[in-house]
Structure formats: C-alpha cells, structure tokens
Amino acid sequence: MLDYEKIGLKMGLEIHQQLNTDEKLFCACECNLTDKEPDFKVLRNLRPTQSELGKVDRAAFEEARRKLNFIYEAYTHETCLVEADEEPPHPMNIEALEISLIMATLLNMHIVDEFHFMRKQVIDGSNTGGFQRTGLVATEGFLETDYGNVVIENLCLEEDAARRVGHGKGKVTFRLDRLGIPLVEITTDPSMKHPEQVKEVAYQIGQILRSTRVKRGLGTIRQDLNISIREGARVEIKGVQDLDLMPKIVENEVKRQINLLKIRDELIKRNASVDDNLYDVADVLRETRSKIISKAQSVHAIKLKGFKSLIGMKIQPGRRFGTELAGYAKKMGVTGLFHTDELPAYGIVEHDVAALNEFIGVQENDAFILMASDKEKVINALQEVQRRAKMALNGVPEETRKVTPDGNTEYLRPLPTASRMYVETDIPAICILKEQLKDIKSNLPELPEEKKERIIKEYNLSEDLATQLVRTDKTANFENIKKETNADSTTLASTLAYTFKELKRDGCNIEKLNDDIMAETFNLLVKGKISKDAINQILEDICKEGNSPQKAAQSLNLMMLSNDDVENIIDELISLNKEIIRERGMGAMGPLMGKAMGKLKGKADGKLVNKLLKDKIQNMISEYN
Amino acid sequence: MSYRGDSKSFLDSAGVSTGDSVKIIKKDISYEGIILDRAEDADDKHLVLKLDNGYNIGLGIHDAEIILLKKGEKPKIELKPLNIEKDSKKIDISIISTGGTVASIIDYKTGAVHPAFTADDLLRANPELLEHANIKGKAVLNILSENMKPEYWIKSARSIADEINDGVYGVVVAHGTDTMHYTSAALSFILDTPLPVVLTGAQRSSDRPSSDAYLNLLNSVTAAKSEIAEVMVCMHGTENDSYCNLLLGTKVRKMHTSRRDTFRSINTSPIARVHKGNIQILDKEITYKKRNDGEVKLRDSLEPNVAFIKSYPGISEELIDYHIDKGYKGIVLEGTGLGHCPEDLIPSLERAYGEKIPVVMTSQCLYGAVNMHVYSTGRRLISAGVISAGDMLPETAFVKLIWALGQTDKLSEVKNIMQRNIAGEIQDKLSLKYFLV
C-alpha cells in the first residue's frame, strides 16, 4: 500500500454539470440529445489563433499539426445555424446564469461583479468555432466535509462540447446536439490528500448541484481529476464517470509518476540524452521479414542515448514507459512503434537489430525507436517521441490524460495553458446586480440532507423512505399530494419511492402518474372508496389503459363495497357454510375469513369483514346452543 | 486607454494603466491580474482584470482598493516576422487588402472585431499561402466594407492596375463581405483586365480557429493563377471547408447574413469550382475572358451622385421629387415583379426624364429579368423614359449607372451603356437552371 502522505499526493477535482434549462446557452435549441439519423453532415478544419497576449497555446498547436477533418452531424430542427458556426451566438441564456449564481451561493463563493465570456481555444474539433465559450462566475468558496473544509476555487459557466460519435482515417465525427447545452464547471483547489476524500467531495458537490435545476442521468455530470505528487507534475485526468473507480485511478497514476521519477533518476545517472537526428533506415531493413516494415512508405529510427531497458520498464499495471512514448506518436496518426527493449520480435530478427544498431551507432546503454508508416506521419511522430523522451529527463510532464476502462490513464494532449483564452467579442459583459444576489440568497433551495431531515420530522417518515424520496427527487411530489389529500404519509411515500420503481421496471409509462392523478387516486383511498391494497393495480391500469383513477378502480372491480353489500356477501357465505360452523364453532373463523377475503379483497376493509364475520358466527353458535 | 469617467480616475490615481499587474482588494476577497482595456460602450464603474488562469472578470470600483504590482506593457498581438524570399520557380501574386473580416482581429477599443491587419499581417497569419506563389502584400484601405465609397473603388482599381502593370500574374483583393458585390461590380466596369482579379473575404473573422479566411484566400490564390481574366468573387461554395466557387463579379450577391456560402451567382451559374489547387469549369457553354497579353485599361471616372430607391406599397412620389430637387444625377429603382412601381410615381418619373436624369428599373425579385411590356403600368413607365436593367442585379445596375454617368452626361448615351453588356452583367438568355442555386 502506498503512503500517500509521504509521497506528497495532492488532488483536485473538476466537476462538469449540465444545467436543465429550456434552451441552449446561445441559441433557442432544446437541450436534448438525439439518436436520429443526421439530416446534414458538415466538413470543417480548424487552425489555431493567438490569444490577446500574443501567445499560441501549446495544446492547440499540437492539435493543429494533425490536420484532421471534422465531420459535424446536424439536424433540420434539433440544431440550428449557431451550433454549426454559421451564425453568431444569440444573447446569453439568463436562466443559465441564474442557476450558476445559485450554485455559487450554495458553495459559499465570491461572485464577480461583471461576467465576461471568454473563448477557450479547443481545436480537437469538439467545438465548431474552435473554442469553447466559458466565463468565470465566482471564486474562493468552500465546502465542509468530514475531512475538513475544501476550497472551491472557481465556478465557470460554459457551453458543452459536441458529442464525439465516431472517427476514421484522418477524420473525427461529432454530433451537434450536445454543443451549447449550458454547463457549470466547478474546480476545487488541489489540497485533497486521500482518494476517499476526493470521492466524498465529488459526492457532496453532486448533491448540492442536484438541489438546483440540473440535468440527471448518464453523461450529465462528468468529473476530471487533477493529481500530482512531490517532484511530479500536475496531470489532469478526464472522464472519471464512476466514483468508485477513483481510488484505483489515483493509485495507478501515483505509481506512474513514481516510476517516471525513478526513470528520470536513472537517466541522469547514465548521463542520458536524445539524439535529434532522424535516421532513414529503409535501406538497412530492405531484406526484413517484417510485413509492417516492408510494406511501409517510409521507415525511420531515432536514437535515445542511455535509455536501454528503461523503455521496457513497467510503470503502471500492463503499461510500460514505451507505452507513454507510443501515446505521443499515435497522436500523429501512426499505429505504434518498435523499441530496443522488445526486439527482436514482430518479424524483426536479431540480424535486423544488429544492422540497425550499427547503422545508427547504438552503444551499450542506448536504445532506438523504429517506426514505419507514411513519411509525413513517421517524421511528425518520431519528433513527438523525441520531445517526450526529452521530457523524461525532467521527470513527469504536465498532461491531460484520459481514463481507460481498467483504471489506467493514457495520454490525451498537453495541459492547456492560459494562452488558450481570449475574449469573446460577440457577447457583451453582464453586470451582476447586488439586488439579484440578495434575492438569490434569501430563496436558496434546500440542500438534499436538510430536506431529508425536514421531511422525517415533518411527516414522521422512516429514514429509508425519506432517503429514497430525496434521492429519486420525489419530495416535491410527495408534499404536493400530501397537502392535496392528507393521505397516510408512509403509504404515499412508499408508493412514490418503491411502487413507481416497480411499475417502471414492468414497462409502465409512469409519466402519466402526475401529481393530479396521484392526488385523485389517494383521495379515493382517503374517502374509503378503495383499499390500500388496490393502489398498485389501479396505478398500473392508469399507465397501461390511460383510465382515470376512478374508472380504473371500477373496471378492475376494486371499488369498495358499501357496508350493506359486504354484510349481504357475508350472510351468503355463512348460509353456505353452516355445516362447518356447526362442527368447529369459532374454529370456523379462520377458513371463512380466508374465503371472505378471497371475494372481498380490495373491495372491503379487512377489519370490517373480520368484525362482521365474527359477530355473525357468534350469533349462529348461540342459535345452535 | 479606453477607460473613462470614474474608472479612469480610479486607475489614474493609483498610477495604473492597461497592461499593468495589479492587486484589487475588496471586503473579503482580493484578485491579482493584469488590467485590460474595456469596451468603449461599457460603463465607467468596472475594471477588466485578466486573471492568471486566463479568465477576464469585471470588478466594480466603488468598494475596491487597487495596488500596482508591476508596470507592464499593453498586450499586443504579434505575429512571427516573415522572412520572405522570392522563389523564382513560383508565380507572383499580389494580395491587396482593403480591410474586413478576412483581415481583422479583436480590437480592445470597442471589444469587437475590427480590420487591423495589413496585407503582410494577413500573410503572416496564413504563411502556407507562400507554398503556392510568391505573395506580395499591399494594404490600400483599412475599412469595414459597410464604409466603402465609390472613391475607394477608384483607389482600389488604380492599385490593382499598378500591380498588373508591375507584372504580377494575378491579383487577390481581400475585402469585407457586406459590400463585396458592389466593389466586384465596380471593378468589373472600371478595369479591363488581362488577368484574374479575385475578391475574397471571410464570414467568420480570422481571429477564430474556424475562420473561413484561410480556405478562401488559398483558393483565391489558385484562382488568381488561373486562365480566367475576369473580376470574380471567390468564397465558400457550401458550408463545408471543401471548395470555393468562382462567381462573376457583376452577377453575384451576398444572400445570407452569416453563412459561409453566402455569395451566390444570380441569373447565371458560378464560372468554376476551386478545390485543392484545381480549377474546374462548371459549365463549358459559359464564356469568360481568357488571360491575355493585353494592357490593363482603367476607366475610372465615376459620378457617385446616384440614388438607389426601393419601391414599396404606399411609396410617395415625394421621394423621387426630393432626389431631383437635391440634384441627383441618376436614379436606380428597385421595382416590384417584372419592374413596376405605383402609378402615382409616374408624373415624378416623367419630371426626371424632362430634367435629363436617367431612371433605371431593376427588380427586387433579384432572379429573372425586367420586362415592362407586359402590364400597362410597365408600358407607362417606358413612356416616362424609364430604362430597363434587363437581368442585371439592382446593386450592379446602381454601380453601373454611377460608372456610366462618369463616362458621359448625354442621356441617350447613358441609356445605351446601361442596356449594353459590358462585363457579363446583361444576358439575353436565362436558363431554367439559374434559380436558387
């Protein structure tokens, strides 16, 4: 087990949450995703620009070297010219700013006086404009946790990016449905020291966000993790969906950084360096049996002095230092590389290796990297490997990485710099008024935990039911229906929390069960027209047949009978079973009660049936006596 | 410095100017960053601060204290200097810049996009152009195209003629898109060119990664190297970054406020498609002038005093009378349908004719030709001396009248020029194909 404190582990969180507004941030499209076939496909290319400080962002620059074609899937009605970058943005959606201000207040943050949108250059194609619009709403808040207070550094309002739906040779396909959905980005400071704490903070922030108008469901909240260790570097890990996987991701990343530091120390000891030459080795390998090499347009190699055996060193479960080098190469469009520590293999034989070593001038401790593909790609990719190898001499590079399903991470792009930001000139700044903030402060939504405590107390609910109501976001429905009908709290709560779940599982369309329908149903119960046992069946009928509650109860024959009708049925039952009563006396009560309920279940109150039956049997017995 | 009023005195009193690093202290928070300029139309109660993380925020001054941390320089956008060496194997192309979105960048004075690039800057931002030709950049104007005037058409035309006389192989003109079709028409009449003159621009400003400027410029350079010796517009053919269309300068119009493929040929087809360095002629039947060894001819005398009036239900004859009284030398009417305006206007139009002021009728339908013989109003307009513009676009007819009145002041000669094809602006035959393409 790693001693996180000793190695100086520091972590920060970045949480992205989609808002549930009626319209997108800069156009009138709805904030919904679609699986329909696209009506249009638009082809675009992107080029990096300079920020207002006159610098080109390194992540943008690297992306531009790849010269990708971007295909955008668009729709006749679901998307418009704004997402396609064929029209300037409309004025900002004020509802989205209001929700952000509420969140910032709940997180005890300092809100800026005037809100400015920026363009954050992102030229991986995920934004049609080549930048994501983002603005800083608030800074320096805090969240109380069991591990102490965590500083909430920034809260930004942004537009969500387009959805990446496919990729092919030299092209990436995006769908425009998600582009422009309002998104809030919340970042904590990098002060968290234990993975469990990160998990807890992520959960708590999620709970706070849920008390405001946010989207629910898969992909509507996304977490990124910042990790560094002492002497290591800040690495941003994208796409941590599963909070439970977080401790494992942290562990693997820490191992990677520790091993990269070990590699650095060894490289320094060996006085290692990177030879800047690219060696054309096609002639050297002309006779090779390796198909990959003999088929390729271009075969080049580079020399890494003093790197031998380190490229094959394992730095994470199942990943070697060579995998890191290959990660950079792959960004330039090649499928992979060969390195000294894994050769001979893949059809490259001892003899080939010896010839390469001689041609390049590889000494005892040196390594080479071999690559075969189209010429431009090979050259770009090998230059990237040289760049990455040089970084190894300094330890851990700052990077953006992405989570793999096994809890490892792989290289995505360099960490973006502040140079990627420049001002969005199409949208005027918005002054945030003190009165508006005061208004927000006095109307803050109830946080989930507070809500739970309150309804337990107010309605005498069990901890379990209250938790379920809050988690499934049914508290407001519960309180509405309760007010409308004054139905029994536990019955109502368990119907909302559990019956709904069961109905949904059985394929019912529970959207039909709105508060009005539910109030009507529970009114029948309160007025004694139906029994508690009948509710599930009635609700199912409403979903499936579209009946009103009353009609559903009637058609299922679940309306309660009048007392006279019940008495008549029991009289009939007794006259049919005189023999049993004569033989068993009060002992007939059990079997007869069973028979009575068989006929009357859901239509009469059990207590009433029991009482009538008991009285009548007693009468009969006294008659016999 | 774009700060004014209270915020200016606030900064002045602390000796702070734009570009300085400062600390701003408020009741329970403080911020560090660089002071940036503020849009001129914004209030004087806030400062704009750029934080280390790259975000700009606005901070109110009324409850703030400011401390100067370090004097700084005003941030400037600088492009890497280009060391252009002429390659004798490559063709010489001139890029003349007039301003507009293709040559613009963020302006901190107004916080908006402004034309601020010189032709050289344009080249620095698009160095790949040099792979295709020796490029000579020249800035003639630096205006947004809505501020274009007839006198600037002359200035641009003369510059182009100079370049041609200097021996370049083709000319590209970087222009704002709003009035590009007016300028392309004007250059078509003013210049008789032996080589391609290609106007281009951008619908997305060149300060964004998705700008269409690069593809438009690249394809314009290809077009300028071609054999088509016409004044043309070269812009995106579709919303894709794939090819551009070459559109004849007198039969082209901006048809969409914001799309990349806004420029369309009206009453004709595009001459050619430009794609990855190739020119593909789209309709072999459509004739165009071929590159030749002739001299460039400049006919740059203009009469800008021409009115451009749109007819509409309820229009008053006072509008016509006003322009006659004010001494306008010509009127272009954008009529309805086949070329009509309300009968009430006829006495005023007759008056114009009497005072030797040419009145030219075009159609706000844009597509199709004017024909005033079909209905009685049309026939009365002809009797009132109104000149038919045929299938000319209203904007082209307007520019042509300005040019025609520069060539002659004889009414009959003006009429003759207006109805004679000079630069492809009038055709006798309209194909079924030429509609909404």
Side-chain angles (χ1 to χ4, degrees):
Chain A
M1 188 65 196
L2 293 159
D3 184 346
Y4 288 136
E5 204 166 316
K6 205 172 136 200
I7 56 179
L9 174 66
K10 276 186 181 174
M11 287 171 292
L13 260 177
E14 206 172 281
I15 292 179
H16 297 92
Q17 168 74 61
Q18 284 181 353
L19 306 186
N20 195 17
T21 51
D22 293 336
E23 294 182 355
K24 286 186 174 176
L25 198 49
F26 299 112
C27 68
C29 290
E30 284 182 26
C31 300
N32 294 328
L33 302 188
T34 177
D35 291 323
K36 288 204 293 193
E37 277 297 305
D39 300 316
F40 306 98
K41 288 188 176 179
V42 181
L43 167 81
R44 292 281 165 71
N45 305 116
L46 295 171
R47 289 162 60 81
T49 60
Q50 296 198 321
S51 83
E52 64 200 277
L53 295 175
K55 289 179 180 135
V56 176
D57 176 54
R58 64 189 179 198
F61 178 73
E62 180 179 306
E63 204 61 58
R65 287 177 59 188
R66 303 172 63 194
K67 291 189 182 157
L68 286 171
N69 282 330
F70 302 119
I71 313 288
Y72 295 105
E73 297 183 345
Y75 294 86
T76 307
H77 299 295
E78 285 81 354
T79 63
C80 71
L81 288 179
V82 174
E83 291 103 330
D85 191 44
E86 286 286 12
E87 187 185 338
H90 298 185
M92 182 186 52
N93 180 346
I94 290 296
E95 187 191 0
L97 182 60
E98 275 167 10
I99 298 172
S100 326
L101 293 174
I102 293 169
M103 290 175 176
T105 311
L106 287 171
L107 290 165
N108 313 299
M109 301 186 78
H110 293 86
I111 291 165
V112 301
D113 300 328
E114 196 181 54
F115 178 69
H116 289 239
F117 262 111
M118 306 297 293
R119 295 173 177 175
K120 189 195 272 184
Q121 209 174 121
V122 185
I123 62 169
D124 63 0
S126 57
N127 290 70
T128 45
F131 49 77
Q132 179 189 35
R133 295 189 182 91
T134 172
L136 184 60
V137 176
T139 57
E140 284 187 46
F142 64 88
L143 180 73
E144 288 170 30
T145 77
D146 294 344
Y147 297 83
N149 282 3
V150 170
V151 173
I152 308 294
E153 270 185 349
N154 295 312
L155 186 147
C156 297
L157 176 60
E158 335 187 300
E159 51 180 355
D160 205 346
R163 254 201 306 162
R164 190 181 153 122
V165 292
H167 62 101
K169 207 180 169 194
K171 69 170 189 187
V172 188
T173 304
F174 293 93
R175 188 166 292 181
L176 295 184
D177 52 0
R178 202 180 67 184
L179 180 61
I181 294 179
L183 193 68
V184 157
E185 181 195 84
I186 293 165
T187 42
T188 73
D189 74 340
S191 65
M192 287 178 271
K193 295 187 173 67
H194 198 279
E196 289 299 330
Q197 184 186 11
V198 179
K199 203 174 132 183
E200 169 68 18
V201 170
Y203 175 76
Q204 280 201 31
I205 292 178
Q207 286 296 303
I208 288 175
L209 297 182
R210 279 183 155 216
S211 67
T212 66
R213 283 198 67 188
V214 296
K215 286 226 173 243
R216 300 291 179 88
L218 202 69
T220 59
I221 185 162
R222 307 193 285 272
Q223 284 104 1
D224 299 343
L225 193 58
N226 287 317
I227 300 187
S228 67
I229 59 171
R230 197 174 299 119
E231 286 191 67
R234 191 164 83 88
V235 165
E236 188 179 299
I237 298 171
K238 290 262 171 211
V240 187
Q241 286 282 0
D242 182 357
L243 291 187
D244 291 330
L245 198 58
M246 218 174 253
K248 189 169 175 200
I249 296 167
V250 173
E251 190 186 322
N252 286 345
E253 175 57 24
V254 166
K255 276 186 192 153
R256 194 184 70 94
Q257 297 206 10
I258 290 173
N259 285 322
L260 287 177
L261 291 173
K262 277 187 195 154
I263 289 175
R264 176 198 65 181
D265 294 343
E266 180 61 25
L267 288 172
I268 290 171
K269 207 158 67 187
R270 293 185 190 178
N271 199 17
S273 67
V274 176
D275 176 353
D276 280 330
N277 291 319
L278 297 178
Y279 297 90
D280 185 340
V281 293
D283 281 348
V284 183
L285 296 175
R286 201 174 320 123
E287 315 258 291
T288 184
R289 271 181 278 159
S290 159
K291 282 209 178 103
I292 306 172
I293 295 202
S294 57
K295 275 188 186 163
Q297 185 200 73
S298 156
V299 189
H300 277 74
I302 54 169
K303 182 162 66 176
L304 304 177
K305 290 184 186 165
F307 278 68
K308 195 177 166 80
S309 78
L310 295 176
I311 303 177
M313 183 171 147
K314 213 174 188 183
I315 56 169
Q316 264 184 330
R319 294 173 67 89
R320 294 161 196 282
F321 178 51
T323 325
E324 297 278 301
L325 298 178
Y328 278 63
K330 282 179 184 168
K331 287 281 151 192
M332 293 294 131
V334 299
T335 48
L337 50 75
F338 302 107
H339 61 80
T340 310
D341 296 345
E342 58 180 356
L343 297 176
Y346 311 108
I348 300 166
V349 295
E350 190 74 54
H351 169 73
D352 294 332
V353 175
L356 281 170
N357 281 340
E358 195 189 325
F359 183 78
I360 307 168
V362 170
Q363 309 282 314
E364 193 189 351
N365 255 339
D366 300 348
F368 67 77
I369 305 279
L370 180 67
M371 207 178 283
S373 183
D374 301 343
K375 190 168 178 194
E376 195 187 341
K377 280 185 192 164
V378 166
I379 287 172
N380 279 336
L382 280 176
Q383 282 171 347
E384 278 299 288
V385 175
Q386 287 173 334
R387 200 165 65 86
R388 176 63 186 86
K390 283 178 191 168
M391 293 177 197
L393 301 169
N394 294 319
V396 187
E398 290 194 338
E399 289 169 343
T400 303
R401 301 177 69 86
K402 137 180 132 184
V403 176
T404 57
D406 57 357
N408 276 319
T409 60
E410 64 186 27
Y411 173 67
L412 207 55
R413 52 177 177 263
L415 212 56
T417 58
S419 305
R420 83 209 281 216
M421 300 279 251
Y422 61 116
V423 68
E424 168 56 89
T425 48
D426 295 339
I427 302 153
I430 292 176
C431 187
I432 294 168
L433 302 169
K434 292 276 167 294
E435 297 80 65
Q436 191 188 1
L437 291 180
K438 216 184 269 171
D439 202 41
I440 284 174
K441 221 165 229 168
S442 53
N443 289 297
L444 281 180
E446 201 174 19
L447 293 177
E449 199 58 24
E450 293 168 9
K451 194 179 276 178
K452 193 181 90 183
E453 294 305 323
R454 178 177 62 81
I455 58 174
I456 288 175
K457 232 158 97 189
E458 203 168 324
Y459 302 103
N460 200 20
L461 289 173
S462 69
E463 167 95 23
D464 170 61
L465 271 178
T467 307
Q468 285 302 322
L469 281 181
V470 171
R471 192 161 280 179
T472 55
D473 204 18
K474 292 271 185 321
T475 317
N477 308 88
F478 169 80
E479 296 197 273
N480 269 342
I481 302 162
K482 172 82 189 173
K483 199 171 141 201
E484 209 52 41
T485 63
N486 201 24
D488 174 59
S489 296
T490 302
T491 311
L492 177 56
S494 76
T495 305
L496 290 170
Y498 291 113
T499 309
F500 272 37
K501 225 183 269 176
E502 284 161 25
L503 288 172
K504 199 173 171 186
R505 202 174 43 218
D506 295 343
C508 289
N509 176 15
I510 58 166
E511 273 169 35
K512 285 188 183 154
L513 303 176
N514 60 36
D515 288 2
D516 289 344
I517 294 280
M518 290 303 290
E520 232 178 292
T521 310
F522 274 87
N523 260 331
L524 292 176
L525 175 67
V526 173
K527 289 185 181 145
K529 291 188 176 166
I530 57 170
S531 80
K532 204 166 94 178
D533 304 322
I535 285 181
N536 291 14
Q537 270 174 282
I538 291 171
L539 293 180
E540 189 178 339
D541 191 68
I542 294 169
C543 292
K544 288 196 170 150
E545 306 298 329
N547 285 329
S548 69
Q550 171 107 17
K551 186 135 183 265
Q554 282 163 345
S555 72
L556 292 169
N557 207 12
L558 289 174
M559 288 297 275
M560 294 274 245
L561 297 171
S562 70
N563 288 3
D564 286 350
D565 288 341
V566 176
E567 200 168 342
N568 286 339
I569 288 175
I570 290 176
D571 281 343
E572 200 184 329
L573 189 74
I574 291 206
S575 71
L576 282 172
N577 292 283
K578 283 180 184 157
E579 283 307 309
I580 302 175
I581 298 169
R582 196 172 295 148
E583 281 169 22
R584 302 199 196 169
M586 280 315 284
M589 185 68 197
L592 287 189
M593 186 66 195
K595 284 190 177 178
M597 284 318 286
K599 279 192 167 177
L600 292 166
K601 183 165 194 238
K603 289 185 273 187
D605 182 14
K607 272 186 228 154
L608 176 71
V609 176
N610 188 291
K611 184 171 179 298
L612 284 172
L613 198 60
K614 202 163 148 193
D615 289 353
K616 286 183 191 285
I617 294 175
Q618 260 167 2
N619 278 346
M620 191 168 236
I621 293 170
S622 51
E623 265 173 40
Y624 291 138
N625 295 341
Chain B
M1 181 98 145
S2 57
Y3 284 98
R4 61 190 165 81
D6 293 351
S7 52
K8 183 169 167 26
S9 14
F10 180 80
L11 287 175
D12 285 348
S13 65
V16 170
S17 47
T18 307
D20 291 349
S21 295
V22 298
K23 184 171 187 171
I24 292 175
I25 303 161
K26 296 220 164 201
K27 202 171 136 245
D28 27 55
I29 186 158
S30 66
Y31 303 90
E32 281 184 26
I34 299 170
I35 293 284
L36 290 190
D37 264 349
R38 187 164 168 77
E40 251 162 20
D41 50 0
D43 68 34
D44 68 343
K45 309 288 177 227
H46 295 83
L47 304 173
V48 181
L49 192 70
K50 185 173 202 66
L51 306 176
D52 277 350
N53 59 16
Y55 280 97
N56 293 3
I57 57 172
L59 294 173
I61 53 171
H62 75 283
D63 59 349
E65 220 186 290
I66 186 167
I67 298 169
L68 175 65
L69 297 177
K70 204 177 134 214
K71 288 303 274 184
E73 273 182 34
K74 191 172 169 168
K76 249 198 294 190
I77 304 228
E78 273 174 47
L79 297 162
K80 270 190 204 149
L82 269 187
N83 199 1
I84 306 172
E85 273 177 39
K86 202 167 155 164
D87 181 345
S88 59
K89 284 185 223 119
K90 285 182 191 148
I91 283 169
D92 297 344
I93 299 290
S94 280
I95 298 187
I96 286 175
S97 137
T98 65
T101 304
V102 69
S104 66
I105 201 133
I106 303 152
D107 175 64
Y108 297 100
K109 254 176 148 182
T110 59
V113 175
H114 238 280
F117 270 178
T118 65
D120 266 354
D121 285 336
L122 195 121
L123 208 49
R124 288 195 191 105
N126 302 281
E128 297 97 322
L129 295 177
L130 291 166
E131 291 168 20
H132 305 275
N134 290 315
I135 305 249
K136 187 173 147 198
K138 190 171 165 187
V140 179
L141 299 164
N142 195 8
I143 56 160
L144 292 168
S145 79
E146 56 268 35
N147 299 325
M148 194 40 103
K149 295 174 183 175
E151 62 186 88
Y152 297 155
W153 297 337
I154 299 174
K155 201 172 171 190
S156 307
R158 287 181 182 166
S159 271
I160 294 166
D162 287 348
E163 294 303 306
I164 296 174
N165 288 328
D166 262 8
V168 295
Y169 198 72
V171 179
V172 174
V173 181
H175 197 287
T177 54
D178 274 20
T179 64
M180 191 190 286
H181 49 298
Y182 289 86
T183 303
S184 68
L187 295 176
S188 301
F189 296 121
I190 296 171
L191 286 170
D192 185 359
T193 170
L195 46 81
V197 173
V198 187
L199 284 86
T200 193
Q203 284 286 86
R204 296 282 90 73
S205 57
S206 46
D207 56 77
R208 17 175 121 212
S210 63
S211 173
D212 48 335
Y214 172 67
L215 187 73
N216 291 343
L217 277 169
L218 186 70
N219 284 328
S220 296
V221 168
T222 302
K225 286 157 70 177
S226 77
E227 294 303 304
I228 311 169
E230 298 275 5
V231 175
M232 297 168 283
V233 165
C234 177
M235 292 282 289
H236 268 59
T238 65
E239 70 272 39
N240 298 317
D241 284 333
S242 56
Y243 64 84
C244 289
N245 281 334
L246 273 183
L247 312 159
L248 189 70
T250 51
K251 291 194 102 56
V252 58
R253 198 172 187 280
K254 188 174 188 180
M255 296 299 284
H256 197 279
T257 59
S258 60
R259 282 176 67 125
R260 287 163 171 78
D261 52 355
T262 173
F263 282 93
R264 300 293 166 128
S265 280
I266 311 286
N267 291 334
T268 187
S269 292
I271 304 174
R273 181 174 289 180
V274 195
H275 187 41
K276 292 192 171 157
N278 294 314
I279 303 269
Q280 184 198 351
I281 302 293
L282 292 175
D283 182 345
K284 301 224 160 50
E285 300 290 317
I286 289 184
T287 53
Y288 56 84
K289 218 168 79 202
K290 292 250 165 49
R291 176 187 289 279
N292 57 70
D293 295 330
E295 293 284 305
V296 59
K297 288 185 207 94
L298 199 60
R299 296 160 301 196
D300 60 359
S301 166
L302 301 181
E303 172 49 79
N305 222 4
V306 170
F308 194 11
I309 301 169
K310 188 172 190 133
S311 178
Y312 51 87
I315 185 174
S316 158
E317 71 280 5
E318 284 172 17
L319 267 177
I320 307 294
D321 288 332
Y322 168 85
H323 286 96
I324 299 171
D325 295 341
K326 279 282 175 184
Y328 276 76
K329 298 287 192 284
I331 296 172
V332 173
L333 274 178
E334 203 179 293
T336 50
L338 284 164
H340 302 132
C341 64
E343 292 178 330
D344 309 352
L345 260 52
I346 292 177
S348 297
L349 296 176
E350 283 167 344
R351 189 191 146 202
Y353 185 62
E355 299 191 21
K356 303 264 186 286
I357 299 169
V359 177
V360 177
M361 180 62 79
T362 64
S363 174
Q364 50 195 258
C365 294
L366 306 179
Y367 283 99
V370 167
N371 187 336
M372 293 185 284
H373 298 287
V374 181
Y375 296 102
S376 60
T377 307
R379 293 192 285 270
R380 289 182 62 194
L381 286 167
I382 294 175
S383 309
V386 172
I387 303 165
S388 167
D391 69 331
M392 247 191 292
L393 275 165
E395 293 81 4
T396 301
F398 166 71
V399 171
K400 192 178 181 186
L401 187 56
I402 288 175
W403 179 77
L405 285 165
Q407 311 304 303
T408 175
D409 42 19
K410 264 176 74 181
L411 185 58
S412 62
E413 187 53 26
V414 170
K415 182 172 178 180
N416 183 319
I417 293 174
M418 287 308 291
Q419 296 193 318
R420 191 177 77 223
N421 178 38
I422 307 244
E425 75 279 15
I426 297 176
Q427 287 171 1
D428 298 333
K429 234 167 102 170
L430 285 177
S431 166
L432 273 173
K433 217 178 127 183
Y434 301 159
F435 187 46
L436 298 180
V437 282

